[in-house]
Amino acid sequence: MVITPAQVTLAAGTTQQFNATGGTAPYTWSVSDATVAAIDAATGLLTALAPGTTVVTATDANGVAGTAAVTVTTVTVSPETAVLQPGDTLQFTATGGTAPYTWSVSDPAVATIEAGTGLLTAVAVGTTQVTAVDANGFSATSGNITVSDIAITPSTALLAVGDTLQFTASGGTPPYTWASNNLAVATVDPATGLLTAVGPGTTSVTVTDAAGLSVTSGDITVRAIVVTPQVATLVTGDTLQFTATGGRAPYTWSVSDAGVAVIDAATGLLTAVAPGTVVVTATDADGIAGSSGVITVTDNHVIVITPDTATVPRFGTLQFTATGGAGPYTWSLTNPLAGTIDPATGLFRAGRFPTTTTVIATDADGHAGESGTITVTRQRH
């Protein structure tokens, strides 16, 4: 029994009629791999489905069989789409077929392509498609290849969170419509092209003209420089180490008022000089800056404890208060044998035995004040 054709190569999606002679009709048709091709069991009409190979078998009324070989191929063109400006070149490639490939375009007035290499040259504004034909005559066609004379300025940018940047477009057909491709990083006014950086990361900007042609910028990078600590209260003469993250090292440090505090430009070590407030700024290697909140410098933390001295009978209580520091205060005793003091409220409770102690109040910034002598006596008053 003879099957025709005995061997065939098909493109996915095409059909092929098989015929059998030399046997006893009717014939029953089948394939060895139904993922590659499907065949009508009664008629022998095969449909190519996916790249691969399969065997077609025809079995006659007496159970005698014959076979044929089928290869299914799919040609793929890359890139599928592109946006170019006149004069740009772009290399196209094809896979899935049998080399060599022959290249062509649907509109040579928009772009030309070298038939043997697939190198495309953009010629004029418009759209075209690229087709590759393999050695067996199988072909594939790209999506739209757009040639536009629209140009975006700037093409790339580096910004800090909160910065704004005006984008402009030239060429094409005004008016233009603007869009950001990552709204978590930056937003852009669709009518004016004014971009606002809102969060760290990378985005790009796309502009579309009145004719529907669009181009996209390169990377727009947004950084957030975080200065630590954000706020602090210092006494004249104190030092405080600042650090920065989120940028590209090294950082350069500065202060808003060198009469209040000075900072080492290289290390970020701040020294409080005089009472007042100051803001610390860190600038990274690319000129992107971040700032602290308000850093307060006082001339002294004189924490006054009231009462300063007192006599308390054993088991008696006395309320202490403090002023002059940053609340809340934490309370403690220099002599625990004198009794106990509530660390949050400053309520002192005298112990059993006569003795003396002093009371310490520590404010929220770690500065401490100490009372005079507190005496615990045997007598109850």
Side-chain angles (χ1 to χ4, degrees), residues 54-140:
T54 189
V55 175
V56 173
T57 299
T59 305
D60 74 358
N62 296 319
V64 178
T67 60
V70 176
T71 299
V72 178
T73 185
T74 298
V75 178
T76 302
V77 173
S78 180
E80 171 67 15
T81 62
V83 177
L84 305 172
Q85 290 188 312
D88 288 350
T89 60
L90 183 61
Q91 181 64 57
F92 281 80
T93 59
T95 57
T98 303
Y101 298 93
T102 302
W103 297 89
S104 62
V105 291
S106 60
D107 190 344
V110 173
T112 60
I113 195 165
E114 293 184 10
T117 66
L119 181 65
L120 178 139
T121 300
V123 175
V125 173
T127 58
T128 189
Q129 293 82 38
V130 173
T131 297
V133 181
D134 79 350
N136 294 318
F138 301 119
S139 65

Side-chain angles (χ1 to χ4, degrees), residues 318-372:
L318 182 62
Q319 179 65 57
F320 286 87
T321 60
T323 58
Y329 297 94
T330 302
W331 297 88
S332 60
L333 300 174
T334 56
N335 180 9
L337 296 178
T340 61
I341 192 167
D342 189 300
T345 67
L347 180 63
F348 171 74
R349 184 177 299 277
R352 176 187 297 272
F353 303 106
T355 188
T356 60
T357 187
T358 59
V359 173
I360 297 174
T362 304
D363 76 357
D365 294 322
H367 300 100
E370 188 171 356
S371 72

